[in-house]
Amino acid sequence: MSATNLRRMARILTIEDDAVTAGEIVAELQIHGHQVDSVSSGSEGLQRALTGNYDVITLDRMLPELDGLTLVKRLREAGVRAPVLMLSALSDVDERIRGLRAGGDDYMTKPFAPDEMAARIEVLLRREPAQQETVLRVGDLELDLMSRAARRGGAQIELLPLEFRLLDYLMRHSGQVLTRTMIFEAVWGYRFDPGTNVIDVHMARLRRKVDAGQSLSLIHTVRGCGYRLGESG
Amino acid sequence: MSARPLVGGFSELWRTSTTRLILGYGALFAAWSIMLIGAISWETARYLESVVDRILVQRVHFLAAVERDRLPDLLAASTALDLRGVLSFGLFDADSRYVLGDIDRLPADLPVDGEVHPLPRGVARLSGQRGSRTRGVALRRAGDNLVIVLVRDYGAVDRVGTIIRGSLVWALSLTVIPGVLGGFLLARGPLRRVRGIEAAIEPIMRGNLRARLPLSPRHDELDMLADIVNRMLDQLERLLGEVKGVSDNIAHDLRTPLTRLRAQLYRLQRERPEGEQATLLIERCLGETDALLDRFRALLRISELEDLHRRAGFRQVDLTEILRRVHELYAPLAEDKSMEFSLQATAVPTVNADADLLFEAVTNLVSNAIKFTPEGGRVVLRTRTDASGVRIDVLDNGPGIAPEEREAVLQRFYRAQRGENRPGFGLGLSIVAAIVKLHGFRLEIGANEPTGTRITIYCSALPA
């Protein structure tokens, strides 16, 4: 878990009929060091996804011929387990639920910020198998999930329940960039934009508790994007 | 919403067009009937008078022709038949001296010509009787120059007219009174339907442009009118939809290039070393782009909420739990501004709502309150039950919202005059308004004592 900077090149399939959007996705993911294949039709996408052994798939919700929902359903029926990030111009709550029920793993509304998309892809790529760990460790930071106690270098850190949930989420995704939207979604469970700098305030508090008096900071701000917890800045 | 009660009393009935029509028609009918009655009674009286006149003339001519010695008996016999004493006679000699009869003086205004004449001053009779209206005839006998005077009281004839008038007035009353009453009863039918229409219009006035006026199978005037209004509403709904569609499209279309702009700025920022002057400028541009995107997102969110008619997410929701989570989310922000942010959540009955949307609404209210209250201020988030049911209050001691601006701040594109330099004021409240409307709840902006704003969500659904 502590090897946060392990950057394995991932194979990603982008199924997107809009050339401009497809170009943006490919460019952004390539910056992050991934190998991206892009196809523009649903049927071709299905073929590639079934045979290509990809690590993650980005899927447009509305495609000619074969619609995104049907596609993801067929993939799951065929036993393909690769995480699917659905991208849709439809922002309706019901639409999102439908996408996730069909077998999608995450859902983003177009237009989206590419860095947010990349951050979500990273999370999908490093989604750990559902193993039950009782203690999370990043560097000298420890979070005991059973006793709900946090320690840094042996010293106890007092956490409020909300701060505990926040740190839990950050540590589970250590080394990954997490946007404010992702944090709000995961820790608070809401999908709307909370506005202002409310997430930043919570992060600042947590950072004070975790990094105060330490020579090495663990919580880093990623400019213009979000946060990352890890040993290296 | 109008304060006018749906159920009016007599005064409302009085104002209906049907009632007025019935009353007008009744008055016309009565006037015409009175004229008719007058004509009939006058005609009848005139006819009876002419008949009586002719009898008088015949009798006087008969009496003028009989022999002198039979005259007294015949005169007596003719009056003897007259039980009520309406007919009187007098017999005078050639020098107008009294000879015989109930009349002892020849009436001065009665010409002796065998024709019936009115005697406006009446006639003095020996029996002392005095008629109401008398007419008489006088004729001189050819042989002995005796003058026969016959006088008759026409009161009985007039009474016939009175009787006819009376019975006609009765008949008229018996026609008009039930007519008017029946009319009133008939007028209540359409009135009831007007009330139905009024009730149907209530939700439309509250902004539900999908509602329509009820139509009856009768296809009468009210239905024609309701149909016209319905067609107007169709048109209105279509036009409003177009306007909304245009603004949504603008928001949507602008979002894509903005997102690309942001992506490019972001890439640029990452490629530059941190802390450099140009990098800071790019960071500011990125911030502005984010603010723009936030606003477009909010606009689209409002429009999405306005279109949202599903109630699938509705269930019994514990408000105290929602408020507790909002408080937890915003407490650090308030603390950073050295504000006192308190939660007063007493146990209240659950309400039927979409918990996520309600959380979003309260979040917006608290976020606004913290944003607009100066450092060291006070914000209270509370829920309680009062006469109107369960309510959520967000109170602050900030600058407050002027009474004349309270309605307007709920509109999509409004920005309060004060607080011009602070971002995101109008849209947050519009999102709240849309969520509250979706629930059928009520939003109220008031003043907090002694200063500041009180925003209340009344969580009892309005009657649909």
Side-chain angles (χ1 to χ4, degrees):
Chain A
M1 278 302 290
S2 60
T4 50
N5 227 10
L6 188 137
R7 278 206 168 267
R8 182 177 68 88
M9 187 204 248
R11 294 191 67 224
I12 299 174
L13 175 65
T14 292
I15 309 173
E16 170 66 62
D17 66 324
D18 174 42
V20 179
T21 315
E24 265 173 36
I25 297 172
V26 172
E28 180 68 26
L29 292 178
Q30 276 170 352
I31 287 175
H32 284 77
H34 302 302
Q35 183 206 321
V36 191
D37 295 340
S38 175
V39 295
S40 60
S41 86
S43 46
E44 198 190 340
L46 183 62
Q47 283 311 311
R48 296 284 284 269
L50 286 173
T51 54
N53 194 26
Y54 289 98
D55 296 311
V56 75
I57 298 165
T58 79
L59 175 61
D60 187 11
R61 163 75 179 79
M62 286 188 289
L63 287 167
E65 306 165 49
L66 190 61
D67 145 85
L69 277 189
T70 323
L71 201 155
V72 74
K73 248 182 242 167
R74 295 235 187 122
L75 278 183
R76 296 301 181 233
E77 280 160 16
V80 174
R81 299 216 169 274
V84 172
L85 170 62
M86 300 199 67
L87 302 168
S88 169
L90 306 170
S91 66
D92 199 292
V93 191
D94 294 332
E95 192 52 48
R96 174 185 149 72
I97 293 168
R98 226 171 285 146
L100 296 182
R101 279 219 187 110
D105 297 272
D106 202 353
Y107 189 101
M108 280 188 86
T109 305
K110 285 187 195 173
F112 50 82
D115 44 326
E116 165 104 20
M117 189 261 316
R120 284 176 186 267
I121 290 281
E122 294 298 329
V123 168
L124 289 179
L125 276 173
R126 303 212 209 154
R127 207 168 45 165
E128 54 207 293
Q131 62 191 48
Q132 280 303 307
E133 296 197 51
T134 54
V135 181
L136 301 176
R137 283 190 188 86
V138 176
D140 57 351
L141 178 64
E142 269 183 18
L143 189 66
D144 189 325
L145 300 179
M146 303 302 283
S147 63
R148 299 178 81 82
R151 274 181 300 275
R152 177 118 196 234
Q156 189 84 18
I157 303 172
E158 293 298 328
L159 291 179
L160 296 171
L162 187 72
E163 290 163 344
F164 175 82
R165 295 209 304 272
L166 194 52
L167 189 59
D168 182 12
Y169 174 68
L170 292 175
M171 288 181 78
R172 280 180 196 277
H173 297 95
S174 65
Q176 298 173 17
V177 175
L178 303 170
T179 66
R180 291 170 184 85
T181 321
M182 288 162 81
I183 293 170
F184 187 55
E185 211 177 299
V187 177
W188 279 269
Y190 294 101
R191 275 294 293 195
F192 67 94
D193 172 29
T196 65
N197 48 346
V198 65
I199 302 300
D200 293 334
V201 173
H202 283 279
M203 287 304 297
R205 301 198 146 221
L206 185 65
R207 175 182 275 160
R208 274 204 295 279
K209 289 192 175 178
V210 171
D211 287 340
Q214 304 283 338
S215 53
L216 183 70
S217 291
L218 286 180
I219 297 177
H220 310 283
T221 306
V222 180
R223 279 189 298 152
C225 193
Y227 295 91
R228 186 162 50 79
L229 185 136
E231 281 178 293
S232 62
Chain B
M1 261 169 62
S2 75
R4 212 147 57 82
L6 278 180
V7 179
F10 179 76
S11 68
E12 189 175 36
L13 199 60
W14 176 251
R15 283 198 304 267
T16 66
S17 58
T18 318
T19 309
R20 288 183 204 200
L21 207 68
I22 286 164
L23 285 178
Y25 187 71
L28 202 70
F29 181 71
W32 177 245
S33 301
I34 286 163
M35 274 169 66
L36 195 71
I37 290 166
I40 288 172
S41 63
W42 187 73
E43 274 293 329
T44 314
R46 221 170 61 104
Y47 171 70
L48 286 175
E49 193 179 283
S50 73
V51 168
V52 174
D53 281 358
R54 218 158 30 230
I55 293 168
L56 271 184
V57 170
Q58 277 171 3
R59 188 167 289 175
V60 83
H61 279 277
F62 166 72
L63 290 169
V66 299
E67 299 93 69
R68 170 67 181 86
D69 40 326
R70 278 184 65 201
L71 200 54
D73 290 343
L74 282 169
L75 280 169
S78 68
T79 49
L81 278 173
D82 176 46
L83 293 173
R84 282 172 301 164
V86 291
L87 186 68
S88 309
F89 70 91
L91 191 62
F92 303 91
D93 65 11
D95 302 324
S96 303
R97 277 193 301 266
Y98 173 73
V99 178
L100 196 70
D102 196 20
I103 298 165
D104 61 349
R105 225 168 321 142
L106 191 64
D109 47 358
L110 184 65
V112 187
D113 56 1
E115 294 291 320
V116 179
H117 294 283
L119 296 168
R121 283 178 290 165
V123 171
R125 302 174 204 213
L126 291 177
S127 61
Q129 279 182 339
R130 254 190 120 62
S132 53
R133 186 164 78 87
T134 28
R135 286 168 74 83
V137 60
L139 189 64
R140 193 180 293 278
R141 285 163 61 93
D144 44 22
N145 273 345
L146 287 172
V147 175
I148 305 166
V149 173
L150 289 178
V151 169
R152 208 192 134 93
D153 176 31
Y154 277 64
V157 172
D158 292 345
R159 266 197 299 284
V160 173
T162 310
I163 288 164
I164 288 173
R165 270 200 301 279
S167 54
L168 281 176
V169 165
W170 268 109
L172 176 70
S173 324
L174 288 176
T175 315
V176 168
I177 291 169
V180 168
L181 281 178
F184 268 119
L185 290 177
L186 280 177
R188 274 175 37 184
L191 202 60
R192 215 171 298 139
R193 289 183 52 209
V194 167
R195 284 194 200 122
I197 289 174
E198 193 177 355
I201 273 186
E202 278 295 310
I204 302 177
M205 289 198 298
R206 283 204 304 266
N208 176 14
L209 280 175
R210 280 184 174 79
R212 291 291 178 268
L213 302 188
L215 292 174
S216 78
R218 274 173 287 191
H219 304 296
D220 58 11
E221 308 91 309
L222 272 179
D223 287 319
M224 283 157 69
L225 198 66
D227 185 52
I228 291 171
V229 173
N230 281 349
R231 275 186 289 145
M232 187 189 73
L233 285 171
D234 288 342
Q235 193 71 1
L236 214 61
E237 189 188 356
R238 195 179 59 75
L239 286 174
L240 279 179
E242 274 175 15
V243 170
K244 190 173 159 302
V246 166
S247 71
D248 291 353
N249 278 341
I250 291 173
H252 212 279
D253 289 352
L254 288 181
R255 250 179 79 185
T256 308
L258 267 173
T259 311
R260 292 194 183 133
L261 175 69
R262 193 203 173 276
Q264 281 158 31
L265 281 171
Y266 174 64
R267 209 160 293 160
L268 205 60
Q269 181 222 31
R270 279 201 317 183
E271 284 162 7
R272 297 198 70 88
E274 218 167 315
E276 208 177 77
Q277 195 62 33
T279 316
L280 290 174
L281 197 63
I282 292 171
E283 261 164 33
R284 273 217 298 282
C285 290
L286 206 54
E288 292 295 330
T289 317
D290 280 342
L292 264 173
L293 275 167
D294 280 351
R295 252 163 254 180
F296 280 120
R297 201 172 297 129
L299 270 180
L300 290 169
R301 179 83 181 128
I302 293 165
S303 126
E304 186 187 316
L305 286 167
E306 281 169 352
D307 284 341
L308 207 59
H309 292 282
R310 69 185 187 122
R311 299 244 159 175
F314 277 49
R315 56 188 170 75
Q316 289 304 311
V317 166
D318 178 13
L319 286 184
T320 40
E321 175 57 21
I322 290 179
L323 262 54
R324 198 192 57 72
R325 298 185 73 167
V326 175
H327 184 263
E328 186 186 54
L329 179 61
Y330 278 95
L333 193 65
E335 207 179 302
D336 281 5
K337 279 188 82 182
S338 316
M339 292 168 71
E340 185 196 315
F341 177 34
S342 61
L343 173 68
Q344 299 170 7
T346 54
V348 291
T350 57
V351 296
N352 189 37
D354 183 318
D356 289 0
L357 291 180
L358 213 52
F359 179 87
E360 184 176 346
V362 179
T363 299
N364 268 303
L365 293 181
V366 169
S367 166
N368 266 339
I370 292 175
K371 201 185 299 173
F372 293 113
T373 305
E375 294 216 355
R378 194 164 41 78
V379 173
V380 177
L381 174 61
R382 76 176 176 208
T383 179
R384 57 199 172 103
T385 315
D386 69 7
S388 63
V390 181
R391 57 187 279 183
I392 301 169
D393 294 307
V394 177
L395 310 156
D396 67 54
N397 63 352
I401 299 174
E404 61 273 15
E405 285 187 67
R406 284 175 191 161
E407 270 302 306
V409 291
L410 302 177
Q411 308 302 313
R412 257 203 216 196
F413 293 103
Y414 187 80
R415 177 173 288 271
Q417 293 307 305
R418 286 180 260 173
E420 189 70 54
N421 52 347
R422 283 171 288 200
F425 184 76
L427 288 175
L429 273 181
S430 308
I431 288 179
V432 178
I435 291 173
V436 164
K437 196 173 146 196
L438 178 74
H439 282 82
F441 294 169
R442 193 160 60 80
L443 187 66
E444 188 185 83
I445 302 177
N448 186 22
E449 295 303 329
T451 57
T453 312
R454 171 184 57 81
I455 302 190
T456 303
I457 300 176
Y458 292 98
C459 301
S460 42
L462 296 168

